[in-house]
Every structure is written in C-alpha cells, then in structure tokens.
Amino acid sequence: MEISGNGDQITADILVVGGGIAGITAAIEASEIGKSAVLVEKEPFLGGRVAKMNQYFPKLCPPLCGLEINFKRLRFNDQVKIMTLTTVEEVTGKPGDFEITLKVEPRYVKDDSPDFDEYVEACPIEVPNQDNFGIDMHKAVYLPQMAYPSIYAVDPSVVNDDKFKSWAKGCKTDIFDLDMKPETVKVKAAAIIWATGWQPYDAAKIDNLGFGKHDNVVTNVIFERLASADGPTQGKIQRPSDNAEIKKIGFVQCAGSRDENHLPYCSAVCCAASIKQANYVREQHPEAEIHIFYIDVRTPGRLEDFYASTDEDEKIFFHRGKVAEVREVSGSKNLIVAAENTLTGKITEMEMDMVVLATGMVPNSVECKPPVDAIMDDWGFLSSDTSSGVVGAGVASRPFDVAASVQDATGSVLKALQMMNRS
Amino acid sequence: MAVETKLGAYICTGCDIGKSVDIEALEKLCTDELKIPVCKTHEKLCATDALKMIQDDIKSEELNRVIIAGCSPRVKTKEFTFDNGAMADRCVLREHVAWILEPNDEDTQMAAEDYLRMSAARMRATELPEANIEEIDKTVLVVGGGMSGMRTALSTANLSYDVVIVEKEDNLGGWARKFTKVFPKQAPYKDLADSGVDELISQVEAHDKITIYKSSTIKKIEGEPGKFEVELEGASDGVKFKIGSIVLASGWKPYDPEKLGHLGYGKSNVVTNVQVEEMTSNGGIKRPSDGQVPKSVAFIQCAGSRDQDHLPYCSAVCCRVSLKQATYIKEAYPDTLVYILYKDIRSPGQYEEFYKNVQENEGVCLTKGEVVRVDSTAGDGVEIELEDTLFGENVIVQADMLVLASGMVPTTKVEDLTEGETETAEALSDDNPADSEDKEDANTGASAEAGARILNLTYRKGTDLPTLKYGFPDSHYICFPYETLRTGIYAAGAVRAPMDLASADNDAYGAGLKAIQALELTAKGQAVHPRAGDETFPDFFLQRCTQCKRCTEECPFGTLDEDEKGTPEPHPNRCRRCGICMGACPERIVSFKDYSVHIIGEMIKSLEVPDEEDEKPRALAFMCENDAIPSLDIAAAHRLKISPFVRIIPLRCLGSMNIVWIADALSVGIDGAILIGCKHGDDYQCHFVKGSELANTRMENVREKLKQLVLEEERVQITELALSEWKKVPEVLNNFMDDVDAAGPNPYKGF
C-alpha cells in the first residue's frame, strides 16, 4: 500500500524498529517491492553501530560506502517514512492489524537553517561525544560526518542548561526551539520488524580483565573508534594513558562471551573483529607485535581466508588459552596478560603496552523489549517463531556479523509479509 | 537529438553561497551568456515558498528543465524533484564552490560560472528519460527442491506469486530428508530437533501457486528478467514455460572423500559424516567391516576443509555435525567412547550451548590438535596421531571406527576440469579465445560460466551464475549479501555459502524477496540494485556499430548477447545502468537519455578556458558519484579547501568514462584530467564490479595516446578514494594540480 496519513496518524504496511543497518535494509527492501514502511530510530540519525565502525571484515572496506548507497535509495523513496528520536511506547491489535504508539522526542532544531554551520562553530558548550564513548568532547549541537537525515541534533543534556539556553536565544530566532515537547504518533501497520540491534557487553563486569581499572585496557568497540577517522584520535591508534606508539598489543578473545558468568553464548563476530583490528595495527604500526589470545578461532566459510592470511603474518601471533587475568605493571602502565592452558592449567604471562578486550554483543531487546508477546530466549534474542507478529532482524535475532544481519533483515521483510497475507 | 528545451535557473544564496560568490554576476551570466529565459535567486531555495515559486514557474513559463544552483543532490533530493516533466539539474555551488574554495576570490567566481555553464549545457543536451514498460511474467523459478528451494517457493507463493520448482531428484526435500535430526532450533539450544522437512514438503506440494517438476533439469533459459523462457529436460523433457526471475537453490555436495586418503579414507572402517547420517537412518551406526557396534569412534574435523590442498574455506557446519553425530552414538550406545579431534570448535551464537551440552557428556572426549598420521590397526581399527596438542606432545588415539567430518562443496563448483574440458569450457565462455580478459577474471567466475551447467542460460557471457572464489555464487558485498552478477537471478542456501539447514531456511526468505523485487522493479521499467528505481537504459545506435565486442565483453552483468556478426543484442532488463558499455564504446553509440558521451562532451566544451598568459590552468576531475563525490561533499562540509582550477564532473561509475572526453578536454585547452573512483582488485569496492578496474585499463590507452601527441603523462591520472578518506580529497586534487602545473600549459590551448 502507499504510505498514507501525516502528522500523528500514519498507515503503512510494516513498522521497522531500529535504524541501524538491519532496519534500514528491511525498510528499503520492503519499499522496493512496492510496500511501505515506517522506520523508527531512537537516535537523531540513522546508521546505528555500523556508522561508528572504521572498516568491515574481511574486505577492510568502509561502512560509509554501503550506507551511502542505502541513503541514496532512501533519498528518492516515497515509501519509507523515517522517524528519528522515536521509540515505541505501546502496541495493540494483532498480526496483520497492529496499532503502534510512538513517542517522538524533540530535536530542538526547527530546520536546517542556511546559516546553521556558522552558529554551531560559535557554540560555546561542549559535551562528551557519546559516539566516541565520551573520550572526547564535541559541540552540544552536532552533525556526524555522514548524517542522515542531514539535520543538526542537540545533545539532550544541555537543553536545560542556562548557559546553553542563553546562547541559543542569542542565535537567529528560527534555529532553535528549546520549548519543543515530545509528541505522540500512532501508526497502523500489518507487521512489525524488530531490528533494535545490540550493545557491547559491559566490560567493567569482567573483573579480572581490568577494564575501567587500567588505562590501557580498552574494548573492541572503543578500539574501533580509535581507528576511525572521525574518532577521538582522528584515526590514530595509540596508547590511551600517554598517547605513545603501540609496540606490543594483546587481544583477549571471548571477553565475557562463552562464559557462564557473563554471556554463555558465542557472540560470533569477535574473532573476525580482532583479526580485522590486528590488521589496523599492522597497517599503522608495522613494527608492533600483535598477540591474540583465544579459545577457538571462529571464522566460518570464506572468513577462513582472512584468518589464514593473518595467521601467516610474522608480527601477528595466535595463542590458544583462556585469559585468566589482565593486571597493570606498577609504574609503567603496561599490562600483564595471564593466559591459561585449559587442559593443563599452566599459566603463561606476557607483558603488553595495550590490551583490547574482544567483548561480545548483548541484544538491545533485553532493555528494550518488544511491547507484545514476542518469543525471546533467556538472553533477549528473538525466536524465529513469529506468531506474535514481531519478526526479528539482525542482531535482535541472533549474534550476527554485518553481512548476516543484512541477509536476515532482507528475509525479515518476506517473513513479515507472510503475516499480512494470513490476516 | 534533444527536444526543444525551456530552461530556468534558480540560484540559492543561502548556506554561504551568497557570501562566497557574486550572485548578481552569476545571474547576469545566466541571462546574457547562457540565454536562460527565467533566472531567479532566493535566500533559501529549499524553503516552501521558494519551491512553490519554482513549481509555479514550471507551470506558467512551461519550463521543462530547471537548474537548481545550490546544494549537492545528496541532500534535499525530494524537494528538488519536480513533476510535470520538468527535469532538474543540481548545479553544486555549495559543496563544489562555496564551501571548498576560498570565498570572494576571482577564481572561485570563475568556478561558480563554469558550473553554471556545465549545468546549462547538460540540460540542453539531455532528454527526459522514459521508462521501458513492458508486459512481464511474474513467475519465480526455483532451481532445487531442498530446504532453501522449498522455503523460497512457499514464502513467495504465499504472496500470490506463481512459482515453479525444478528438482533433479524424484522427490523434494534434498539433504534435509536424509538427516535424522538437526541442530537445536530453540532455547535452551541443548537438544537436537526435527528438521520439519516433511511438513514443508506437504505444504509445498499442496500449494496451488506452486508447480513442481521432479526428476528434471534445465535444458536452457533464454531471455532476461520478466521475460525468461525455460526449457526442461529429464522426466519433463521438452516442457517449456515463461518466468520472470530465478532463485538458484541447488545446494551442496560433499567433498569427494576419495581425496582424503591422507586421513585414512579407503582404509577399513573409515567413513564420512554423510555416511554416518545414512547409517543412522538405516539401522544405526555399525562398523562397515563386520557390522558390529563400535566401542570407540573418532571424528577428524576439517577433513578437507581449512586445508590449502583441498577446501581452503571452513565448511561452517562440520563441528556441529560431529557434535550431533556424537549425540546419536551416545544415545544408541552409551558405552561407546567418542573422540572429536579438532583444530577449533566452531559453534557460533547460541549453538555454544549445544557444544557445552555435548562436552559435558563424559564419554565424549574433545582433543585439539593437527592430524599427522592415520593408520589401520589389527582388528580393523584405526590409529590417529596428533601434533600441536594442548599437552605439548603428540597424542595417539585408537578407535574402532573413524569418521571424517568432510566439508561442503557448492553444486556450482566445477570439479577438476581436465585440460580438454578446460579448453571447451573457455571456448564456451568466450567466442573469442584470443581475448584473454575473461580468463584472467576470477571474479566473474569463468569456471562456473563454463561448466556448472545448472541454469544453462543462453547468455553470451556464460551459462550460469558467476561465482566467487571456491565456486560459491555468493555476493562480493558485505552490505548487499544477495548481489549477484546476473540481474533477477539470486542464490539461496548452501550453494551461496556453506551453511546449516536452519540458515538455509532463513536465507531463502531473503533470496525470495529479492526475486519478487526484481519482478516488481522490472515491471515498472526500473533498474534493480544499486541504481534501484532508475528508469533510464542504454540505447545502442547500431547502424554505426563496428562489432568490436567491447561492450558485450566488458558488461559485468552479461546484459548483451550478440548476433553472428558480433553486433550486440541488448537486454534492457538485465542492465544495471552503470554505463560501462558507454565507456567501452569507441564509436560512442551507447547513450542514456540523461547521460551520454555527447552530454558530458557538451559540458566539457562549455567551460571557459583562460588563455595561457592568464596563468589560470584548468583541469577536470571525473569522480564516481557513489564514493568519491560523497567523499568530496564531506570534505566540503568540513570546509577543507581544494584548488579552484579543478572542475568536478560526477560519473555514474568510473567504468562509464569514455576516453573521448579526455580528447575533448585537451582539444578545448584544458590542461589535465583526473579520474577518481573506487578501489579495484580482489577486494574491489566498485558497486558495478569492474568499473574502476576497466577505467584503469582504459587509462593505459590514454597514456599511449598522450605519448603520441607528445603530451606529458602526468596530465591524465587515475586514483582510488574510499568514501571514508574524505580528508585526503584536498591532497589528491592539489597534488594532481601541482603535476599539471609542472607540465605547464596544454600546448593545444587556443587551437
């Protein structure tokens, strides 16, 4: 059907929740078979996790490239209604005939005024950049490097800040409206695709690995930002404590995953992600030694080529062993990685100047449950049983890498349409 | 020739444009020099009142072309799309001038003027595209009636599409019917499950939208998406029907165990995992030598897989298959010991629970190591020696029976062609064996084109879906996993990549969706990904064709067949609209209505080239609109600065670059040109597969020509730029301008 309605009442074939790569894919793929979709994203911009990645494995190609093609498909598209800063409040009805209540948070920006850039340049308020895990600061009014929609956003933390308010008032009047209030929008849709993605497992909970205690222990998602051109170090990989060159870096696999005390499942992407990140280090610091501590290296299918070629690298070393502890060397901020042979119990220790924890993925549906009786497992992944009318897509369904997420999201559209025809 | 155009120009003065250039002078240029009848300015052209002003003018002044001189077409796309047959050109004064050049400089003004000249030239040379809408057949052909084939059929038939399944066996179900149990499907992921294949078979067989041809294969498929004609052979010999799109779900075959002699195959009581599955459903797992229950069974993992001499890839399922078969054994014979000898246990995601569950079974012993020796022992048993174990020393395992966890090979993989077959294959894939390009081309899968013979397409470029490395017709693109090199033909299940049944089932939905998407877009005369929605298509002015075959050979999508004389036969529904054929054609006879050698040539000729004594060089940057142009836009948004002497010309793909444009440019006195495109090579990023690579090849010819004309090679360059490398934009362009400066003025200037 054609998307219809405006303002606070919209009718479409499918509601897609989550504007990361899975949700974007689902909405576009649906529209290109002539169906309509409302695409809902809680952040001010589309792109989700992939927009914050430096490169994809195994091609080592930039995620922006595929995002650009997808944004291009959206730019011409009348059948996808994009709603940012929006979350799902309530779902009523049944498969084939849902009514969804959405909450739209204010953007506080009235329009992309022609002179916006100039004002932002002068914005005196800086806030921690959440995209970079708060490592650096950015202006409280911001636009990421490849923003879709290309409209500025205001960091919600400053809206009630007096200094910000007085600055905003001093700007040309039609730029900000700090009195904007949240709005409610109702959507009628036949099916719901739940593509809410993931968040990294909280590494601070893995006590023995030292994240949050030792300056030079970072997670793989933070490391990805360090390698990114728009990251806190403009893409320069360096030691957090003193910005020193990397000479010896360790990657700790299964940091939380495959661990009964944390995430019992395998997060499926961390092996290839660390191999990728080892390649980043290799590129920037050709002299550095790279040590990867693993239980099993899991690179299915053609990803094996990526592992095999990396394994041949004379500077990259794979060590079989479960890391029991990461501790700081007093005085140097260096780190000791203690790895245990799971069979003999023998511990091997090595000194590193930086350690990356390959933390796993936690589905966001743990925190943000679909407000219907969707069938989920103990860890928050949606079941392939879609009788509730909610179809999972991407990491909301399983721990997937990007290609598998997009594959799953493409299929989710056909699954959702099965439901439409049933009703 | 272009129809009579009535042109309007609208210049935005917002977003720093008005502060950077002399708007009045630009208006004067539009009116006086460019003779544009309607020219207006506005402080914010995207505002509602401004858009209304343009729409009103389109109506009242009967404008059919409008120049929107303002921001990049990557923003405000819908706003500046007009109805009533009025075509808009986005003259990029913001990103290509105001933001990226020094404000209020004479050279910046000249750049703005040149971009307006090019827009006017483009609008005057272009024609309005009209979609090629034809009656099409919306039937989906599914090749293979296994799990993924049946799921594709059922899920598309449920949406009221007609579906035809062609299955070479005498019944549906494929491998799923041969498996006693499958991996755990639902939480808590500990117990083996039923495949559910029987239920699926009965649903498929009962569906009134699905026609099934069993014991049949495809003799040939002619035509193009929406208009394919299929002929069968086998039990349905001679049956013919029409279809619109195709899902290849022909599945996998086990790796040939005869090649696993080094792991003991051929010795007594050494079997494969496929044989274990057969035994399980036929009376249980027994020693082949004496029919006795084995007291111990060893599994060797990666038997053939992850092995450079056999299958370099990981078959992705064999770890879990052995865990499953260990479960069969322990359930049937609790006292039998099971050894699983592995390199890495790969049980991704929630399957980790299944692994742990098997691991906790005391009679199952998992040992990491590399197999160095397999020997027979007295009593028809086997002895296996492992090195690189966790014990630090070699381990020897003895068992009554050995199972080789052998891997998956796609049915599209052509096994070891003999020399004679290879030659035949090459002859089949290429009528002109003297041209070696196709043979070098691993990415378009010459072997699969030649030998798999599943689809038997009558395409000039080969009979089957081109494959990647190792014979899988998988996508090369991480972001677009269903991309193939043949429009309207998609792969699903284990033929696409090694995967288990549940994944094949899931994969089928995606492939099914793409198959119906190809139908729906084709029905509207539109392109599929990556230019989905594009209604243009290439026209071939065949009277001037010299049968050089470059277009047929270079099209990565097999769009063109050819007649006996070698004249191309276009199939517009196979086309992706990249324009590689247009770039290839030395006779310049391939054109899109809104994108042609002529249009870009006119744009180049419209530029004002200052005299030599002005010391203002001029150069062109032909940039790929998929990556290089967005990269430039981001650089502009960051207010990075580039040389004001460069003029940007976006291309659909660098592969559409026709080298005559270089000649055009040099002949009007332009001093140089740079081509900026996507990465090529094994990990290419070109969205049209070979565009940037072909541009590089063509550049070789340009360099030769430059030498003949005694011009410096540095005047024409080609480089790669990823979207994420926007910070390098100034460096790339400015270094190029330095080279052009060093070469000095084009000696043909002023001729």
Side-chain angles (χ1 to χ4, degrees), chain A residues 356-377:
Chain A
V356 181
L357 305 183
T359 50
M361 301 194 286
V362 179
N364 278 329
S365 28
V366 170
E367 278 180 12
C368 168
K369 277 198 177 66
V372 286
D373 269 340
I375 304 165
M376 289 162 60
D377 67 21

Side-chain angles (χ1 to χ4, degrees), chain B residues 729-742:
Chain B
V729 167
E731 178 189 326
V732 166
L733 290 173
N734 297 343
N735 288 350
F736 163 67
M737 276 318 296
D738 289 346
D739 290 345
V740 171
D741 273 343

Side-chain angles (χ1 to χ4, degrees), chain A residues 21 25 28-35 54 56-70 72-80 111-115 117-118 145-146 148 150 229-230 234-235 258-260 263-268 294-302 304-305 307-308 312 320 341-344 375-379 381-385 397-400 402-404 406-408 410-415 417-418 421, chain B residues 14-16 19 43-44 46 73-78 81 99 152 154-156 158-161 184-189 306 308 312-316 342-353 355-356 368 390-391 468-470 472 474-482 496 498-499 503 506-514 516-518 520-521 524 529-532 625-627 630 634 637-639 679 683-685 687 722-724 726-727:
Chain A
I21 192 68
T25 299
I28 296 174
E29 295 292 345
S31 72
E32 289 179 3
I33 60 165
K35 304 293 176 186
N54 179 41
Y56 287 147
F57 59 73
K59 277 174 70 183
L60 301 178
C61 55
L64 291 187
C65 166
L67 273 179
E68 169 65 15
I69 292 280
N70 282 320
K72 186 174 171 183
R73 290 159 86 189
L74 284 173
R75 273 179 220 131
F76 290 98
N77 203 316
D78 291 326
Q79 290 302 300
V80 180
D111 198 353
D112 49 345
S113 155
D115 302 314
D117 292 22
E118 217 174 285
Q145 63 172 349
M146 208 172 79
Y148 196 96
S150 187
D230 64 330
Q234 289 77 50
R258 302 181 66 188
D259 186 330
E260 289 299 338
L263 304 175
Y265 54 87
C266 158
S267 292
Y294 70 95
I295 306 175
D296 297 284
V297 177
R298 293 183 168 174
T299 47
R302 285 184 291 116
E304 184 67 16
D305 287 349
Y307 170 37
E312 276 172 18
R320 214 273 188 178
N341 178 320
T342 46
L343 191 74
T344 61
I375 304 165
M376 289 162 60
D377 67 21
D378 289 351
W379 309 305
F381 293 105
L382 281 162
S383 166
S384 55
D385 177 346
S397 336
R398 267 185 186 262
F400 278 140
V402 174
V406 176
Q407 175 199 344
D408 189 53
T410 308
S412 74
V413 177
L414 194 49
K415 291 178 200 167
L417 295 176
Q418 305 289 302
N421 273 36
Chain B
C15 293
D16 292 351
K19 292 175 195 156
E43 59 172 13
K44 190 182 177 191
C46 56
R74 293 177 60 257
V75 291
K76 307 282 176 196
T77 312
K78 283 178 199 165
T81 303
W99 284 0
T152 305
L154 190 64
S155 59
T156 49
N158 280 346
L159 266 65
S160 299
Y161 289 88
K185 285 179 171 173
Q186 300 289 356
Y189 311 106
R306 301 180 65 187
Q308 289 303 326
Y313 55 89
C314 160
S315 292
Y342 69 94
K343 294 182 191 175
D344 296 280
I345 290 291
R346 293 182 171 175
S347 50
Q350 291 96 328
Y351 291 119
E352 185 67 15
E353 289 293 292
Y355 168 34
K356 264 186 283 190
K368 182 178 166 71
L390 296 175
F391 295 96
L468 296 180
K469 232 170 157 182
Y470 313 132
F472 293 99
D474 196 1
S475 168
H476 173 76
Y477 302 96
I478 289 154
C479 309
F480 308 106
Y482 290 102
R496 187 167 81 79
M499 62 177 81
S503 305
N506 199 40
D507 196 36
Y509 287 100
L513 185 100
K514 296 306 283 187
I516 56 181
Q517 197 178 66
E520 295 304 332
L521 289 168
K524 291 192 277 184
H529 183 85
R531 292 185 62 83
E625 67 179 23
N626 303 300
D627 282 50
I634 298 173
H638 285 81
R639 306 299 194 271
K679 188 176 169 188
D683 285 327
Y684 63 84
Q685 290 169 21
H687 292 280
L723 217 171
S724 53
W726 53 267
K727 284 181 187 166

Side-chain angles (χ1 to χ4, degrees), chain B residues 322-323 326-327 330 336-340 358-366:
Chain B
S322 294
L323 294 170
T327 311
K330 295 306 291 184
T336 298
L337 279 171
V338 175
Y339 301 95
I340 298 178
V358 177
Q359 205 177 14
E360 277 162 17
N361 191 317
E362 281 182 4
V364 180
C365 170
L366 291 116

Side-chain angles (χ1 to χ4, degrees), chain A residues 26 29 35 81 123 125 142 144 146 151 154 174 193 196 208 244 256-257 274 318 325 347 360 384 405 408 416:
Chain A
E29 295 292 345
K35 304 293 176 186
K81 162 97 178 155
C123 175
I125 316 281
Y142 65 101
M146 208 172 79
I151 304 172
V154 177
D174 64 353
I193 292 176
T196 46
N208 50 329
S257 302
S274 291
F318 286 84
E325 187 187 23
I347 303 258
S384 55
S405 285
D408 189 53

